[in-house]
Amino acid sequence: MKKTLLAASVATAMLPVGAMAAPTFYGKLNLSVDKTSDYPDTALVFSQDDLSDAWFVSSNNSRLGVKGEEPLYDDSLSVIYQMEVGYDADGDSSATFSTRNSFLGLGTQVGKIFAGRYDSVVKLAEGKIDQFNDTVADMDTVFLGQRRNSNSLNWESMDLGGIVVRAQVAPGEDDVVGSAPNTKTKDGLTDTWGLSATYKQDALYAALAYEKSYTEVAVGPLGVGADLKTMRGSLGLNVSSNVALGTIVERSNLDPYGGADGDLMSYLLSGKFGVSERVALKAQAGMLDSSDLDLDVATLTLGADYKLGDFTTAYGLVSASDTDFDPAGTINDVDEAGMAFSVGMIHKF
């Protein structure tokens, strides 16, 4: 009996260390009560239907995930993986789960190489500058570059003295984009591609990113296909332990199939001030401006966070918006001042 136990102990000790690794299970619940009145749902506001006016109980990108990394037989390689799903915590979606950042790949001496559904390099360049991320006043209301790309191939460099370089490509997989007769079939390997470089050191964060892709925009009953080019620059600064400032500038070019292209500029300025260890005040201004599309969207948001525990935060915000879509020769103009109010709670595990 003793020999059997000894043999089992020796065999266990000789197993590769990687076989002992366990994945990390994590999640986040973010629920809020929101009231909106003529507040933009997205950055591209082409009709009154793109403005929200109702009470909501919202599940703001609540999620569940499993991730890990394990060494392989070759000491220079490791397997990296993540399976993350959005969870419909308020129950108003036809799908309980949706795919978020999920991938399988390798950690190598030249960085991480992986495939799956993953944030675009432009979206990742946001950093933590958006002070109202995952709320009704998210920067999505004035930025086009907040994309998560399916079927992507990704490379992320090692940390080079604070600098990280990223590259992403994604095939269209025979997508037919747009409505007849103005359609395009996306069947190449690099129908979407992007490059970025970020710098993070001590109190400073800076990023520059570019992506060329495509999209489909709902204009009335039709889906209008368009090529999309986006460049973003971000700068964040922790002035002190309780003061943070940030700005993002983005230039986008929307080139619709069968129509004239248009440039759009988006801006964000944010700030956070820690009143105490548990209370933080936040402010943020955002703007989208396009003379080519005759579209202007502006938002101004004030809010506060209150830490209830190490992993639990209550928050509140009020946001004002101004939306103006007035293209020449049309009668469906939009010129509305809007408001949004939200109180919610976040718990991470």
Side-chain angles (χ1 to χ4, degrees), residues 129-177:
I129 294 173
D130 182 4
Q131 293 294 342
F132 296 96
N133 186 50
D134 290 342
T135 70
V136 68
D138 191 293
M139 63 183 279
D140 287 15
T141 56
V142 292
F143 282 81
L144 272 67
Q146 301 295 92
R147 298 160 57 91
R148 181 174 293 118
N149 292 323
S150 299
N151 315 309
S152 68
L153 302 171
N154 302 268
W155 171 71
E156 181 180 302
S157 76
M158 300 171 293
D159 189 321
L160 306 169
I163 298 175
V164 175
V165 179
R166 293 180 175 89
Q168 183 184 74
V169 301
E173 297 194 342
D174 236 13
D175 272 355
V176 178
V177 186

Side-chain angles (χ1 to χ4, degrees), residues 253-331:
N253 177 266
L254 197 64
D255 188 5
Y257 308 149
D261 68 336
D263 290 333
L264 305 94
M265 292 295 301
S266 298
Y267 307 92
L268 189 80
L269 182 64
S270 69
K272 181 177 181 179
F273 175 66
V275 178
S276 67
E277 291 185 358
R278 297 178 62 182
V279 178
L281 303 179
K282 305 188 295 185
Q284 187 160 286
M287 183 173 69
L288 180 147
D289 177 43
S290 175
S291 58
D292 292 334
L293 300 181
D294 295 302
L295 175 63
D296 295 286
V297 181
T299 60
L300 178 63
T301 309
L302 302 175
D305 291 345
Y306 182 72
K307 289 195 69 173
L308 298 170
D310 289 341
F311 307 103
T312 309
T313 302
Y315 64 87
L317 67 89
V318 60
S319 184
S321 68
D322 185 74
T323 305
D324 185 10
F325 176 58
D326 188 15
T330 66
I331 59 174

Side-chain angles (χ1 to χ4, degrees), residues 15-331:
L15 286 174
V17 175
M20 305 294 289
T24 298
F25 176 70
Y26 64 94
K28 177 181 177 181
L29 284 168
N30 181 349
L31 286 163
S32 64
V33 178
D34 307 332
K35 174 63 176 78
T36 62
S37 176
D38 292 325
Y39 196 82
D41 282 330
T42 63
L44 295 178
V45 177
F46 296 131
S47 73
Q48 196 71 29
D49 293 337
D50 298 321
L51 300 178
S52 175
D53 192 355
W55 282 94
F56 300 90
V57 174
S58 303
S59 177
N60 303 298
N61 288 326
S62 297
R63 68 203 67 171
L64 294 169
V66 177
K67 62 182 178 181
E69 181 172 4
E70 298 183 18
L72 299 175
Y73 292 146
D74 186 332
D75 292 340
S76 64
L77 297 176
S78 62
V79 61
I80 56 175
Y81 61 92
Q82 178 171 305
M83 294 181 291
E84 184 176 292
V85 295
Y87 179 69
D88 178 38
D90 59 346
D92 64 0
S93 173
S94 59
T96 304
F97 298 105
S98 58
T99 306
R100 288 176 56 87
N101 286 345
S102 300
F103 59 84
L104 176 65
L106 294 173
T108 75
Q109 293 181 336
V110 295
K112 298 176 181 178
I113 303 170
F114 54 94
R117 178 166 168 80
Y118 204 65
D119 288 345
S120 73
V121 295
V122 171
K123 186 177 190 304
L124 288 171
E126 168 193 342
K128 297 185 180 299
I129 294 173
D130 182 4
Q131 293 294 342
F132 296 96
N133 186 50
D134 290 342
T135 70
V136 68
D138 191 293
M139 63 183 279
D140 287 15
T141 56
V142 292
F143 282 81
L144 272 67
Q146 301 295 92
R147 298 160 57 91
R148 181 174 293 118
N149 292 323
S150 299
N151 315 309
S152 68
L153 302 171
N154 302 268
W155 171 71
E156 181 180 302
S157 76
M158 300 171 293
D159 189 321
L160 306 169
I163 298 175
V164 175
V165 179
R166 293 180 175 89
Q168 183 184 74
V169 301
E173 297 194 342
D174 236 13
D175 272 355
V176 178
V177 186
S179 300
N182 299 310
T183 63
K184 284 189 179 181
T185 300
K186 300 295 183 176
D187 55 6
L189 175 62
T190 59
D191 291 319
T192 294
W193 65 269
L195 291 169
S196 73
T198 61
Y199 176 79
K200 186 176 181 181
Q201 195 80 8
D202 300 325
L204 179 65
Y205 173 84
L208 184 64
Y210 175 83
E211 181 183 70
K212 184 179 184 299
S213 187
Y214 62 93
T215 189
E216 190 167 275
V217 180
V219 180
L222 299 177
V224 177
D227 290 329
L228 178 64
K229 300 174 184 177
T230 306
M231 177 172 284
R232 174 179 294 180
S234 305
L235 182 65
L237 182 64
N238 292 325
V239 180
S240 64
S241 59
N242 60 349
V243 177
L245 301 173
T247 185
I248 301 175
V249 178
E250 179 180 286
R251 181 183 179 88
S252 300
N253 177 266
L254 197 64
D255 188 5
Y257 308 149
D261 68 336
D263 290 333
L264 305 94
M265 292 295 301
S266 298
Y267 307 92
L268 189 80
L269 182 64
S270 69
K272 181 177 181 179
F273 175 66
V275 178
S276 67
E277 291 185 358
R278 297 178 62 182
V279 178
L281 303 179
K282 305 188 295 185
Q284 187 160 286
M287 183 173 69
L288 180 147
D289 177 43
S290 175
S291 58
D292 292 334
L293 300 181
D294 295 302
L295 175 63
D296 295 286
V297 181
T299 60
L300 178 63
T301 309
L302 302 175
D305 291 345
Y306 182 72
K307 289 195 69 173
L308 298 170
D310 289 341
F311 307 103
T312 309
T313 302
Y315 64 87
L317 67 89
V318 60
S319 184
S321 68
D322 185 74
T323 305
D324 185 10
F325 176 58
D326 188 15
T330 66
I331 59 174

